[in-house]
Amino acid sequence: MPEVIGQPRGDREYFKESIQGKSFISDAIVSKNSKKLIIVFSEPIMDEEGNVLGVFAMSVDSSFSWANSETSRLMVKAELK
């Protein structure tokens, strides 16, 4: 969703944690943009010296299901070997 790039998210827990240098997975929250229930995965963006330059975040909304995903079946099969 290009319309969310650059939008302020400084009030969100995932942003606050990652801007401090921590990887973070949120609890389910309501998206400011879509109003859907989402889970956010965030990671600090750092330079070579370890200074935080920004935050990379991606989300999965409630319509996504690992149980129905071909990827999850492949991952389970790989772990069983």
Side-chain angles (χ1 to χ4, degrees):
M1 284 193 222
E3 64 271 11
V4 300
I5 295 173
Q7 295 296 314
R9 296 295 187 259
D11 61 324
R12 295 293 197 158
E13 184 179 17
Y14 68 82
F15 184 88
K16 291 176 183 178
E17 291 294 321
S18 289
I19 203 71
Q20 295 297 317
K22 302 173 193 167
S23 299
F24 190 77
I25 301 172
S26 75
D27 290 332
I29 58 175
V30 176
S31 167
K32 289 182 176 185
N33 194 49
S34 70
K35 309 301 183 213
K36 291 182 178 181
L37 198 58
I38 61 171
I39 296 174
V40 180
F41 302 82
S42 62
E43 188 76 25
I45 300 169
M46 298 183 177
D47 65 14
E48 296 81 24
E49 287 84 40
N51 300 307
V52 178
L53 303 175
V55 172
F56 171 78
M58 62 173 285
S59 63
V60 176
D61 73 33
S62 57
S63 66
F64 182 85
S65 171
W66 278 104
N68 295 326
S69 134
E70 182 63 28
T71 303
S72 68
R73 287 190 288 276
L74 292 173
M75 291 171 62
V76 169
K77 287 179 186 176
E79 290 177 8
L80 293 175
K81 290 185 177 185

